[in-house]
Amino acid sequence: MIKLWGRNTSSNVMKVIWLLEELGIAYDRIDVGGSFGGTGTAEYRAMQPLGLVPAIEDGDFQLFESNTILRYICNAHAPATPFYPAEPRARARVEAWMDFQQTAINRPMSTVFLGLVRTAPEQRDMAAIAAAARDAAGHWAILDSRLARQACIASDDFSLADIALGIYVHRWFVMDVPGRPEAPHLRAWYQHLLARPAYARHIALPPS
Ligand SMILES: N[C@@H](CCC(=O)N[C@@H](CS)C(=O)NCC(=O)O)C(=O)O
């Protein structure tokens, strides 16, 4: 059985939980990271050299980096799933939007989330949060215009790109984000994600 290391309040751990639940793959999740600690040990660092979550163990195979874990799970355990299509161009399109999550929207979303959820109100740097929110809104606008033309992020089909980005869209809509613009197609996509049982159960939780 796959062992998933990481607290379930981590966005990157949530991605892996969501995929495993969507695919109906049995797993055993162990709470580490954040207030649970446990990521500084030599044993854990051998799995995840930076001491971050998530990491997985699949038999004697260990892996880190959430998006790589998503791809590995599909390749190793669900090769026929449309979540990670085999056709090279379709696959590359999914991967490009997974990279967009890691390299483009991750930074402003982390600033907004850490500022609004994990920082006491009196200690918040509201100017920095507002600047990050404007930056994030620009990235969400890119997705809103894609979603005006198609049902999901990479194409009309639900894929790993929706999982990588769908984690954040819940936070975007439930946090009290200053100046958040309307994004009707993004909101419609979010509503569709909420209809997926695994998303409703494991992802659409109060941010903490
Ligand atoms: N690029 C890494 C980033 C992992 C990461 O930053 N994880 C955060 C939680 S979302 C973390 O481990 N924070 C410290 C902790 O939870 O102890 C990935 O996608 O797996």
Side-chain angles (χ1 to χ4, degrees):
M1 186 184 302
I2 290 181
K3 260 192 188 176
L4 168 59
W5 294 83
R7 58 188 168 85
N8 63 1
T9 50
S10 147
S11 56
N12 290 305
V13 174
M14 284 181 181
K15 291 176 191 170
V16 182
I17 294 173
W18 185 8
L19 177 64
L20 290 165
E21 295 278 341
E22 288 276 354
L23 295 174
I25 295 174
Y27 62 99
D28 181 20
R29 189 181 59 77
I30 303 109
D31 272 324
V32 291
S35 60
F36 294 99
T39 53
T41 64
E43 211 178 11
Y44 189 80
R45 294 277 169 145
M47 279 191 296
Q48 214 303 357
L50 299 171
L52 298 172
V53 293
I56 63 159
E57 286 182 276
D58 189 9
D60 61 1
F61 179 66
Q62 301 177 329
L63 192 64
F64 66 103
E65 279 299 330
S66 58
N67 285 356
T68 300
I69 291 172
L70 298 182
R71 290 187 286 263
Y72 167 76
I73 290 170
C74 287
N75 283 330
H77 294 280
T81 177
F83 294 0
Y84 191 38
E87 194 279 316
R89 293 181 184 188
R91 174 164 287 206
R93 208 172 290 122
V94 168
E95 290 176 336
W97 291 103
M98 295 173 80
D99 286 353
F100 176 91
Q101 178 266 315
Q102 287 276 5
T103 62
I105 205 167
N106 182 51
R107 185 192 291 211
M109 279 302 294
S110 295
T111 302
V112 173
F113 174 75
L114 294 174
L116 291 179
V117 175
R118 301 234 176 109
T119 306
E122 64 280 5
Q123 286 170 353
R124 286 179 192 156
D125 179 346
M126 286 312 295
I129 292 170
R134 281 194 298 278
D135 188 2
H139 291 88
W140 286 123
I142 291 170
L143 296 176
D144 187 59
S145 63
R146 280 189 77 70
L147 292 163
R149 308 190 301 269
Q150 59 196 43
C152 293
I153 296 292
S155 69
D156 276 331
D157 297 323
F158 181 85
S159 74
L160 295 186
D162 298 278
I163 292 186
L165 286 154
I167 302 295
Y168 282 157
V169 79
H170 169 68
R171 291 179 173 181
W172 183 244
F173 282 126
V174 299
M175 290 187 300
D176 192 12
V177 178
R180 181 183 51 228
E182 284 306 314
H185 308 292
L186 187 71
R187 193 174 277 282
W189 171 65
Y190 172 51
Q191 294 301 331
H192 281 113
L193 297 183
L194 286 171
R196 301 185 82 94
Y199 189 84
R201 178 147 182 238
H202 297 279
I203 313 304
L205 306 172
S208 65

mmCIF file of all heavy atoms in Angstrom, residues 42-83:
data_model
loop_
_atom_site.group_PDB
_atom_site.id
_atom_site.type_symbol
_atom_site.label_atom_id
_atom_site.label_comp_id
_atom_site.label_asym_id
_atom_site.label_seq_id
_atom_site.Cartn_x
_atom_site.Cartn_y
_atom_site.Cartn_z
ATOM 1 N N ALA A 42 16.856 12.005 9.932
ATOM 2 C CA ALA A 42 17.672 11.525 8.797
ATOM 3 C C ALA A 42 16.842 10.598 7.910
ATOM 4 O O ALA A 42 16.951 10.634 6.678
ATOM 5 C CB ALA A 42 18.899 10.797 9.334
ATOM 6 N N GLU A 43 15.974 9.816 8.563
ATOM 7 C CA GLU A 43 15.138 8.881 7.806
ATOM 8 C C GLU A 43 14.185 9.641 6.860
ATOM 9 O O GLU A 43 14.029 9.285 5.696
ATOM 10 C CB GLU A 43 14.314 8.078 8.819
ATOM 11 C CG GLU A 43 13.990 6.685 8.373
ATOM 12 C CD GLU A 43 13.208 5.965 9.473
ATOM 13 O OE1 GLU A 43 12.757 6.610 10.450
ATOM 14 O OE2 GLU A 43 13.044 4.744 9.327
ATOM 15 N N TYR A 44 13.570 10.711 7.419
ATOM 16 C CA TYR A 44 12.644 11.474 6.573
ATOM 17 C C TYR A 44 13.399 12.220 5.480
ATOM 18 O O TYR A 44 12.976 12.253 4.321
ATOM 19 C CB TYR A 44 11.794 12.449 7.411
ATOM 20 C CG TYR A 44 10.690 13.051 6.553
ATOM 21 C CD1 TYR A 44 9.513 12.336 6.297
ATOM 22 C CD2 TYR A 44 10.852 14.285 5.921
ATOM 23 C CE1 TYR A 44 8.531 12.849 5.462
ATOM 24 C CE2 TYR A 44 9.867 14.810 5.092
ATOM 25 C CZ TYR A 44 8.710 14.083 4.861
ATOM 26 O OH TYR A 44 7.740 14.581 4.015
ATOM 27 N N ARG A 45 14.552 12.816 5.848
ATOM 28 C CA ARG A 45 15.342 13.570 4.852
ATOM 29 C C ARG A 45 15.851 12.674 3.720
ATOM 30 O O ARG A 45 16.118 13.146 2.624
ATOM 31 C CB ARG A 45 16.528 14.249 5.533
ATOM 32 C CG ARG A 45 16.114 15.326 6.524
ATOM 33 C CD ARG A 45 15.839 16.630 5.808
ATOM 34 N NE ARG A 45 15.191 17.562 6.719
ATOM 35 C CZ ARG A 45 15.380 18.874 6.733
ATOM 36 N NH1 ARG A 45 16.174 19.434 5.862
ATOM 37 N NH2 ARG A 45 14.736 19.637 7.583
ATOM 38 N N ALA A 46 15.961 11.391 3.997
ATOM 39 C CA ALA A 46 16.361 10.478 2.919
ATOM 40 C C ALA A 46 15.252 10.365 1.879
ATOM 41 O O ALA A 46 15.505 10.118 0.689
ATOM 42 C CB ALA A 46 16.686 9.099 3.495
ATOM 43 N N MET A 47 14.014 10.607 2.327
ATOM 44 C CA MET A 47 12.872 10.572 1.387
ATOM 45 C C MET A 47 12.651 11.931 0.755
ATOM 46 O O MET A 47 12.320 12.058 -0.403
ATOM 47 C CB MET A 47 11.569 10.224 2.141
ATOM 48 C CG MET A 47 11.375 8.786 2.396
ATOM 49 S SD MET A 47 9.686 8.488 2.971
ATOM 50 C CE MET A 47 9.635 9.368 4.521
ATOM 51 N N GLN A 48 12.770 12.993 1.591
ATOM 52 C CA GLN A 48 12.486 14.361 1.140
ATOM 53 C C GLN A 48 13.635 15.226 1.647
ATOM 54 O O GLN A 48 13.629 15.674 2.795
ATOM 55 C CB GLN A 48 11.146 14.835 1.719
ATOM 56 C CG GLN A 48 10.310 15.748 0.850
ATOM 57 C CD GLN A 48 10.989 17.052 0.393
ATOM 58 O OE1 GLN A 48 12.116 17.375 0.741
ATOM 59 N NE2 GLN A 48 10.282 17.805 -0.417
ATOM 60 N N PRO A 49 14.645 15.466 0.819
ATOM 61 C CA PRO A 49 15.873 16.101 1.308
ATOM 62 C C PRO A 49 15.675 17.487 1.901
ATOM 63 O O PRO A 49 16.502 17.950 2.685
ATOM 64 C CB PRO A 49 16.779 16.156 0.072
ATOM 65 C CG PRO A 49 15.935 15.806 -1.094
ATOM 66 C CD PRO A 49 14.732 15.065 -0.604
ATOM 67 N N LEU A 50 14.597 18.179 1.540
ATOM 68 C CA LEU A 50 14.356 19.522 2.074
ATOM 69 C C LEU A 50 13.535 19.487 3.357
ATOM 70 O O LEU A 50 13.272 20.531 3.964
ATOM 71 C CB LEU A 50 13.631 20.384 1.029
ATOM 72 C CG LEU A 50 14.393 20.595 -0.289
ATOM 73 C CD1 LEU A 50 13.501 21.278 -1.317
ATOM 74 C CD2 LEU A 50 15.648 21.404 -0.049
ATOM 75 N N GLY A 51 13.064 18.315 3.750
ATOM 76 C CA GLY A 51 12.243 18.223 4.959
ATOM 77 C C GLY A 51 10.855 18.803 4.766
ATOM 78 O O GLY A 51 10.226 19.269 5.715
ATOM 79 N N LEU A 52 10.358 18.787 3.534
ATOM 80 C CA LEU A 52 9.010 19.296 3.248
ATOM 81 C C LEU A 52 8.049 18.125 3.057
ATOM 82 O O LEU A 52 8.470 16.965 2.957
ATOM 83 C CB LEU A 52 9.050 20.161 1.977
ATOM 84 C CG LEU A 52 9.935 21.416 2.061
ATOM 85 C CD1 LEU A 52 10.047 22.076 0.699
ATOM 86 C CD2 LEU A 52 9.411 22.390 3.100
ATOM 87 N N VAL A 53 6.758 18.439 2.993
ATOM 88 C CA VAL A 53 5.741 17.431 2.682
ATOM 89 C C VAL A 53 5.105 17.805 1.342
ATOM 90 O O VAL A 53 5.026 19.007 1.022
ATOM 91 C CB VAL A 53 4.674 17.346 3.797
ATOM 92 C CG1 VAL A 53 5.308 16.815 5.063
ATOM 93 C CG2 VAL A 53 3.983 18.688 4.069
ATOM 94 N N PRO A 54 4.670 16.821 0.566
ATOM 95 C CA PRO A 54 4.578 15.390 0.859
ATOM 96 C C PRO A 54 5.808 14.614 0.394
ATOM 97 O O PRO A 54 6.648 15.111 -0.336
ATOM 98 C CB PRO A 54 3.384 14.966 0.002
ATOM 99 C CG PRO A 54 3.538 15.801 -1.251
ATOM 100 C CD PRO A 54 4.059 17.136 -0.752
ATOM 101 N N ALA A 55 5.840 13.344 0.871
ATOM 102 C CA ALA A 55 6.711 12.322 0.298
ATOM 103 C C ALA A 55 5.872 11.054 0.261
ATOM 104 O O ALA A 55 4.903 10.927 1.018
ATOM 105 C CB ALA A 55 7.948 12.124 1.166
ATOM 106 N N ILE A 56 6.223 10.157 -0.631
ATOM 107 C CA ILE A 56 5.512 8.869 -0.625
ATOM 108 C C ILE A 56 6.517 7.725 -0.621
ATOM 109 O O ILE A 56 7.669 7.868 -1.033
ATOM 110 C CB ILE A 56 4.548 8.680 -1.838
ATOM 111 C CG1 ILE A 56 5.289 8.680 -3.162
ATOM 112 C CG2 ILE A 56 3.430 9.694 -1.813
ATOM 113 C CD1 ILE A 56 4.504 8.018 -4.302
ATOM 114 N N GLU A 57 6.002 6.591 -0.152
ATOM 115 C CA GLU A 57 6.727 5.327 -0.276
ATOM 116 C C GLU A 57 5.777 4.358 -0.963
ATOM 117 O O GLU A 57 4.622 4.217 -0.553
ATOM 118 C CB GLU A 57 7.081 4.762 1.096
ATOM 119 C CG GLU A 57 8.202 5.505 1.780
ATOM 120 C CD GLU A 57 8.528 4.856 3.118
ATOM 121 O OE1 GLU A 57 7.834 5.173 4.100
ATOM 122 O OE2 GLU A 57 9.441 4.021 3.151
ATOM 123 N N ASP A 58 6.277 3.739 -1.991
ATOM 124 C CA ASP A 58 5.501 2.721 -2.714
ATOM 125 C C ASP A 58 6.374 1.476 -2.736
ATOM 126 O O ASP A 58 7.272 1.352 -3.574
ATOM 127 C CB ASP A 58 5.204 3.232 -4.132
ATOM 128 C CG ASP A 58 4.222 2.326 -4.866
ATOM 129 O OD1 ASP A 58 3.650 1.417 -4.232
ATOM 130 O OD2 ASP A 58 4.031 2.527 -6.083
ATOM 131 N N GLY A 59 6.152 0.581 -1.765
ATOM 132 C CA GLY A 59 7.095 -0.529 -1.579
ATOM 133 C C GLY A 59 8.440 0.047 -1.177
ATOM 134 O O GLY A 59 8.521 0.876 -0.271
ATOM 135 N N ASP A 60 9.487 -0.328 -1.917
ATOM 136 C CA ASP A 60 10.824 0.179 -1.559
ATOM 137 C C ASP A 60 11.183 1.445 -2.339
ATOM 138 O O ASP A 60 12.322 1.895 -2.313
ATOM 139 C CB ASP A 60 11.880 -0.913 -1.785
ATOM 140 C CG ASP A 60 11.938 -1.351 -3.236
ATOM 141 O OD1 ASP A 60 11.168 -0.802 -4.069
ATOM 142 O OD2 ASP A 60 12.745 -2.244 -3.557
ATOM 143 N N PHE A 61 10.188 2.037 -3.005
ATOM 144 C CA PHE A 61 10.436 3.241 -3.813
ATOM 145 C C PHE A 61 9.961 4.471 -3.060
ATOM 146 O O PHE A 61 8.827 4.513 -2.574
ATOM 147 C CB PHE A 61 9.686 3.106 -5.151
ATOM 148 C CG PHE A 61 9.843 4.291 -6.063
ATOM 149 C CD1 PHE A 61 11.077 4.619 -6.608
ATOM 150 C CD2 PHE A 61 8.740 5.076 -6.387
ATOM 151 C CE1 PHE A 61 11.215 5.708 -7.454
ATOM 152 C CE2 PHE A 61 8.866 6.166 -7.234
ATOM 153 C CZ PHE A 61 10.112 6.489 -7.766
ATOM 154 N N GLN A 62 10.831 5.470 -2.980
ATOM 155 C CA GLN A 62 10.477 6.708 -2.273
ATOM 156 C C GLN A 62 10.515 7.883 -3.244
ATOM 157 O O GLN A 62 11.354 7.908 -4.155
ATOM 158 C CB GLN A 62 11.478 6.967 -1.145
ATOM 159 C CG GLN A 62 11.512 5.836 -0.134
ATOM 160 C CD GLN A 62 12.554 6.052 0.941
ATOM 161 O OE1 GLN A 62 13.594 6.670 0.693
ATOM 162 N NE2 GLN A 62 12.275 5.563 2.133
ATOM 163 N N LEU A 63 9.613 8.853 -3.041
ATOM 164 C CA LEU A 63 9.519 9.958 -3.998
ATOM 165 C C LEU A 63 9.045 11.220 -3.297
ATOM 166 O O LEU A 63 8.230 11.159 -2.378
ATOM 167 C CB LEU A 63 8.537 9.574 -5.117
ATOM 168 C CG LEU A 63 8.497 10.460 -6.362
ATOM 169 C CD1 LEU A 63 9.830 10.437 -7.115
ATOM 170 C CD2 LEU A 63 7.378 10.006 -7.302
ATOM 171 N N PHE A 64 9.548 12.370 -3.772
ATOM 172 C CA PHE A 64 9.065 13.660 -3.268
ATOM 173 C C PHE A 64 8.717 14.548 -4.450
ATOM 174 O O PHE A 64 8.874 14.153 -5.594
ATOM 175 C CB PHE A 64 10.111 14.317 -2.341
ATOM 176 C CG PHE A 64 11.393 14.731 -3.019
ATOM 177 C CD1 PHE A 64 11.628 16.069 -3.320
ATOM 178 C CD2 PHE A 64 12.356 13.796 -3.359
ATOM 179 C CE1 PHE A 64 12.811 16.460 -3.938
ATOM 180 C CE2 PHE A 64 13.543 14.179 -3.974
ATOM 181 C CZ PHE A 64 13.770 15.512 -4.271
ATOM 182 N N GLU A 65 8.231 15.753 -4.166
ATOM 183 C CA GLU A 65 7.711 16.740 -5.123
ATOM 184 C C GLU A 65 6.288 16.329 -5.546
ATOM 185 O O GLU A 65 6.083 15.374 -6.300
ATOM 186 C CB GLU A 65 8.595 16.941 -6.355
ATOM 187 C CG GLU A 65 9.778 17.861 -6.122
ATOM 188 C CD GLU A 65 9.371 19.289 -5.701
ATOM 189 O OE1 GLU A 65 8.298 19.766 -6.102
ATOM 190 O OE2 GLU A 65 10.146 19.912 -4.952
ATOM 191 N N SER A 66 5.329 17.131 -5.082
ATOM 192 C CA SER A 66 3.925 16.746 -5.234
ATOM 193 C C SER A 66 3.507 16.491 -6.694
ATOM 194 O O SER A 66 2.830 15.496 -6.974
ATOM 195 C CB SER A 66 3.018 17.814 -4.619
ATOM 196 O OG SER A 66 3.253 19.080 -5.217
ATOM 197 N N ASN A 67 3.907 17.365 -7.610
ATOM 198 C CA ASN A 67 3.447 17.157 -8.987
ATOM 199 C C ASN A 67 4.088 15.923 -9.612
ATOM 200 O O ASN A 67 3.463 15.213 -10.407
ATOM 201 C CB ASN A 67 3.713 18.413 -9.838
ATOM 202 C CG ASN A 67 2.724 19.526 -9.514
ATOM 203 O OD1 ASN A 67 1.804 19.334 -8.715
ATOM 204 N ND2 ASN A 67 2.905 20.688 -10.113
ATOM 205 N N THR A 68 5.338 15.667 -9.237
ATOM 206 C CA THR A 68 6.008 14.449 -9.722
ATOM 207 C C THR A 68 5.321 13.215 -9.136
ATOM 208 O O THR A 68 5.150 12.204 -9.825
ATOM 209 C CB THR A 68 7.499 14.493 -9.331
ATOM 210 O OG1 THR A 68 8.071 15.645 -9.944
ATOM 211 C CG2 THR A 68 8.233 13.252 -9.794
ATOM 212 N N ILE A 69 4.911 13.324 -7.892
ATOM 213 C CA ILE A 69 4.191 12.205 -7.259
ATOM 214 C C ILE A 69 2.885 11.938 -8.016
ATOM 215 O O ILE A 69 2.528 10.788 -8.282
ATOM 216 C CB ILE A 69 3.926 12.515 -5.762
ATOM 217 C CG1 ILE A 69 5.249 12.505 -4.990
ATOM 218 C CG2 ILE A 69 2.936 11.512 -5.163
ATOM 219 C CD1 ILE A 69 5.141 12.999 -3.536
ATOM 220 N N LEU A 70 2.163 13.004 -8.397
ATOM 221 C CA LEU A 70 0.910 12.812 -9.143
ATOM 222 C C LEU A 70 1.186 12.047 -10.441
ATOM 223 O O LEU A 70 0.469 11.099 -10.798
ATOM 224 C CB LEU A 70 0.265 14.161 -9.486
ATOM 225 C CG LEU A 70 -0.163 15.079 -8.336
ATOM 226 C CD1 LEU A 70 -0.834 16.336 -8.885
ATOM 227 C CD2 LEU A 70 -1.086 14.378 -7.359
ATOM 228 N N ARG A 71 2.222 12.475 -11.151
ATOM 229 C CA ARG A 71 2.539 11.813 -12.428
ATOM 230 C C ARG A 71 2.945 10.368 -12.195
ATOM 231 O O ARG A 71 2.538 9.474 -12.927
ATOM 232 C CB ARG A 71 3.653 12.584 -13.160
ATOM 233 C CG ARG A 71 3.210 13.930 -13.699
ATOM 234 C CD ARG A 71 4.288 14.579 -14.548
ATOM 235 N NE ARG A 71 5.367 15.104 -13.742
ATOM 236 C CZ ARG A 71 5.472 16.386 -13.351
ATOM 237 N NH1 ARG A 71 4.569 17.266 -13.724
ATOM 238 N NH2 ARG A 71 6.494 16.783 -12.623
ATOM 239 N N TYR A 72 3.747 10.140 -11.164
ATOM 240 C CA TYR A 72 4.185 8.774 -10.868
ATOM 241 C C TYR A 72 2.981 7.877 -10.562
ATOM 242 O O TYR A 72 2.889 6.748 -11.062
ATOM 243 C CB TYR A 72 5.161 8.766 -9.678
ATOM 244 C CG TYR A 72 5.377 7.369 -9.145
ATOM 245 C CD1 TYR A 72 6.181 6.454 -9.822
ATOM 246 C CD2 TYR A 72 4.700 6.932 -7.997
ATOM 247 C CE1 TYR A 72 6.319 5.149 -9.373
ATOM 248 C CE2 TYR A 72 4.841 5.635 -7.534
ATOM 249 C CZ TYR A 72 5.648 4.745 -8.224
ATOM 250 O OH TYR A 72 5.770 3.448 -7.785
ATOM 251 N N ILE A 73 2.069 8.369 -9.746
ATOM 252 C CA ILE A 73 0.910 7.531 -9.374
ATOM 253 C C ILE A 73 0.128 7.141 -10.625
ATOM 254 O O ILE A 73 -0.271 5.985 -10.787
ATOM 255 C CB ILE A 73 0.023 8.256 -8.345
ATOM 256 C CG1 ILE A 73 0.756 8.341 -6.999
ATOM 257 C CG2 ILE A 73 -1.324 7.554 -8.173
ATOM 258 C CD1 ILE A 73 0.083 9.240 -5.975
ATOM 259 N N CYS A 74 -0.081 8.092 -11.512
ATOM 260 C CA CYS A 74 -0.802 7.745 -12.753
ATOM 261 C C CYS A 74 -0.002 6.755 -13.577
ATOM 262 O O CYS A 74 -0.542 5.747 -14.056
ATOM 263 C CB CYS A 74 -1.095 9.005 -13.571
ATOM 264 S SG CYS A 74 -2.397 10.014 -12.841
ATOM 265 N N ASN A 75 1.267 7.021 -13.767
ATOM 266 C CA ASN A 75 2.091 6.121 -14.606
ATOM 267 C C ASN A 75 2.146 4.712 -14.022
ATOM 268 O O ASN A 75 2.036 3.726 -14.737
ATOM 269 C CB ASN A 75 3.528 6.660 -14.714
ATOM 270 C CG ASN A 75 3.622 7.809 -15.689
ATOM 271 O OD1 ASN A 75 2.853 7.880 -16.652
ATOM 272 N ND2 ASN A 75 4.544 8.722 -15.447
ATOM 273 N N ALA A 76 2.328 4.642 -12.702
ATOM 274 C CA ALA A 76 2.565 3.332 -12.085
ATOM 275 C C ALA A 76 1.274 2.585 -11.761
ATOM 276 O O ALA A 76 1.241 1.359 -11.785
ATOM 277 C CB ALA A 76 3.391 3.511 -10.810
ATOM 278 N N HIS A 77 0.213 3.331 -11.446
ATOM 279 C CA HIS A 77 -0.977 2.662 -10.905
ATOM 280 C C HIS A 77 -2.242 2.855 -11.726
ATOM 281 O O HIS A 77 -3.242 2.176 -11.480
ATOM 282 C CB HIS A 77 -1.229 3.139 -9.471
ATOM 283 C CG HIS A 77 -0.145 2.722 -8.529
ATOM 284 N ND1 HIS A 77 -0.089 1.455 -7.988
ATOM 285 C CD2 HIS A 77 0.942 3.384 -8.068
ATOM 286 C CE1 HIS A 77 0.986 1.365 -7.205
ATOM 287 N NE2 HIS A 77 1.626 2.518 -7.251
ATOM 288 N N ALA A 78 -2.228 3.818 -12.647
ATOM 289 C CA ALA A 78 -3.457 4.069 -13.424
ATOM 290 C C ALA A 78 -3.063 4.561 -14.821
ATOM 291 O O ALA A 78 -3.461 5.654 -15.230
ATOM 292 C CB ALA A 78 -4.321 5.106 -12.704
ATOM 293 N N PRO A 79 -2.277 3.755 -15.542
ATOM 294 C CA PRO A 79 -1.725 4.243 -16.809
ATOM 295 C C PRO A 79 -2.779 4.604 -17.849
ATOM 296 O O PRO A 79 -2.494 5.387 -18.743
ATOM 297 C CB PRO A 79 -0.832 3.087 -17.291
ATOM 298 C CG PRO A 79 -1.241 1.904 -16.491
ATOM 299 C CD PRO A 79 -1.834 2.394 -15.213
ATOM 300 N N ALA A 80 -3.959 4.060 -17.705
ATOM 301 C CA ALA A 80 -4.976 4.343 -18.728
ATOM 302 C C ALA A 80 -5.864 5.527 -18.353
ATOM 303 O O ALA A 80 -6.784 5.870 -19.088
ATOM 304 C CB ALA A 80 -5.839 3.102 -18.952
ATOM 305 N N THR A 81 -5.577 6.170 -17.219
ATOM 306 C CA THR A 81 -6.495 7.236 -16.805
ATOM 307 C C THR A 81 -6.363 8.474 -17.701
ATOM 308 O O THR A 81 -5.244 8.869 -18.048
ATOM 309 C CB THR A 81 -6.259 7.649 -15.332
ATOM 310 O OG1 THR A 81 -7.139 8.729 -15.044
ATOM 311 C CG2 THR A 81 -4.857 8.138 -15.082
ATOM 312 N N PRO A 82 -7.486 9.078 -18.055
ATOM 313 C CA PRO A 82 -7.401 10.322 -18.836
ATOM 314 C C PRO A 82 -6.854 11.488 -18.012
ATOM 315 O O PRO A 82 -6.568 12.545 -18.561
ATOM 316 C CB PRO A 82 -8.860 10.577 -19.257
ATOM 317 C CG PRO A 82 -9.700 9.754 -18.346
ATOM 318 C CD PRO A 82 -8.854 8.617 -17.845
ATOM 319 N N PHE A 83 -6.685 11.287 -16.704
ATOM 320 C CA PHE A 83 -6.136 12.372 -15.876
ATOM 321 C C PHE A 83 -4.739 12.786 -16.370
ATOM 322 O O PHE A 83 -4.317 13.918 -16.193
ATOM 323 C CB PHE A 83 -5.995 11.946 -14.410
ATOM 324 C CG PHE A 83 -7.291 11.683 -13.701
ATOM 325 C CD1 PHE A 83 -8.526 11.810 -14.331
ATOM 326 C CD2 PHE A 83 -7.276 11.294 -12.367
ATOM 327 C CE1 PHE A 83 -9.702 11.566 -13.659
ATOM 328 C CE2 PHE A 83 -8.458 11.042 -11.676
ATOM 329 C CZ PHE A 83 -9.672 11.175 -12.329
#
